Amino acid sequence: MTNGYLLSFEGPDGAGKTTVLEMLFPLLKEKVSQPILITREPGGVQISERIRDVILDINHTQMDSKTELLLYIAARRQHWVEKVAPALEEGHLVLIDRFIDSSVAYQGAGRGLDKEAISWLNDYATDKRQPDMTLYFDVPSEVGLKRISQNENREINRLDLEALELHQKVRSGYLALVNSNHDRIVTIDATKPLNEVVKIAYSHIIGFLEKHSI
């Protein structure tokens, strides 16, 4: 039984969730009394970061879809046991940049892999732990890819180089997840100005914490 809360940040490429998360951290530190851990997938710990390098390397265009999925799951498991689960046990508020929904959206909807198999693998990697709340930052694929191309400071990875069709399938996968998980996933319009998106996300997180405080 864990004592902390797990909040995941999801969205198509170019949605801006990573920037929002960075801007939220100092705001939350002023308001929240419990320790806060911000981390990311794939990555977060040394082994998972090494796997991340393999997955996102722009030279690895020949990577098989199932290989890609299994690498993500391996990175997720190591990150989970080494960093996320211990933080939850210690009562941290864990904010994670991508989690289980990314695999369903990208490898399920995007690559066309078996969603039931992905769900089982996610459960296997995380000991069946679901996020307590997920903030989904929605943006049309065309807008997200345009943002990426205009951001000189953003890491360009193998997935960014995929055709528009894949990114559209990924977004459709996310929207399907939203429709089937209204109790967990909150949708935020990421086309709004950045400061407004941060304000909305902050409001949802504080509202969640106030609702679940004892």
Side-chain angles (χ1 to χ4, degrees):
M1 188 69 178
T2 57
N3 303 308
Y5 294 114
L6 174 61
L7 277 56
S8 61
F9 285 54
E10 296 281 358
D13 290 291
K17 58 182 175 44
T18 303
T19 302
V20 172
L21 185 50
E22 292 171 352
M23 294 176 67
L24 279 172
F25 183 55
L27 300 175
L28 291 172
K29 281 185 68 176
E30 292 183 0
K31 180 72 174 180
V32 179
S33 59
Q34 67 191 117
I36 302 172
L37 169 66
I38 292 182
T39 188
R40 70 173 183 176
E41 283 199 357
V45 296
Q46 184 178 12
I47 293 173
S48 300
E49 289 288 343
R50 294 287 294 274
I51 297 173
R52 177 189 180 92
D53 291 340
V54 173
I55 296 172
L56 300 181
D57 191 323
I58 60 174
N59 296 309
H60 293 169
T61 55
Q62 75 275 26
M63 185 178 293
D64 176 74
S65 296
K66 290 184 180 179
T67 300
E68 179 183 83
L69 170 62
L70 292 170
L71 285 171
Y72 274 116
I73 295 300
R76 177 164 299 139
R77 177 60 185 176
Q78 187 63 33
H79 183 223
W80 178 259
V81 298
E82 188 175 338
K83 191 172 188 177
V84 179
L88 291 172
E89 290 289 350
E90 294 172 3
H92 287 58
L93 171 63
V94 178
L95 307 178
I96 184 168
D97 187 346
R98 295 204 182 282
F99 194 46
I100 57 174
D101 295 318
S102 285
S103 294
V104 178
Y106 279 84
Q107 284 71 52
R111 302 295 193 196
L113 298 184
D114 185 345
K115 292 186 177 66
E116 288 188 9
I118 294 171
S119 179
W120 184 89
L121 286 167
N122 276 332
D123 285 346
Y124 190 62
T126 65
D127 301 321
K128 297 186 177 182
R129 182 65 151 84
Q130 295 274 318
D132 296 298
M133 181 174 72
T134 296
L135 300 181
Y136 167 62
F137 297 84
D138 186 50
V139 66
S141 303
E142 296 85 350
V143 175
L145 292 178
K146 184 178 180 180
R147 287 178 175 177
I148 292 171
S149 67
Q150 295 176 342
N151 187 352
E152 296 179 355
N153 298 319
R154 188 188 187 280
E155 167 194 56
I156 300 298
N157 60 56
R158 184 173 58 86
L159 295 178
D160 294 331
L161 303 179
E162 293 279 357
L164 174 61
E165 181 182 6
L166 174 84
H167 293 277
Q168 291 173 331
K169 289 179 179 178
V170 168
R171 186 186 180 215
S172 294
Y174 271 124
L175 294 175
L177 282 167
V178 170
N179 288 333
S180 59
N181 293 274
H182 289 296
D183 58 331
R184 173 172 67 85
I185 303 178
V186 174
T187 301
I188 297 175
D189 182 357
T191 65
K192 292 179 180 293
L194 178 58
N195 286 337
E196 186 175 346
V197 173
V198 172
K199 183 178 179 180
I200 294 170
Y202 176 83
S203 176
H204 282 299
I205 293 172
I206 295 303
F208 169 86
L209 293 174
E210 290 176 347
K211 180 180 179 181
H212 290 82
S213 62
I214 299 175

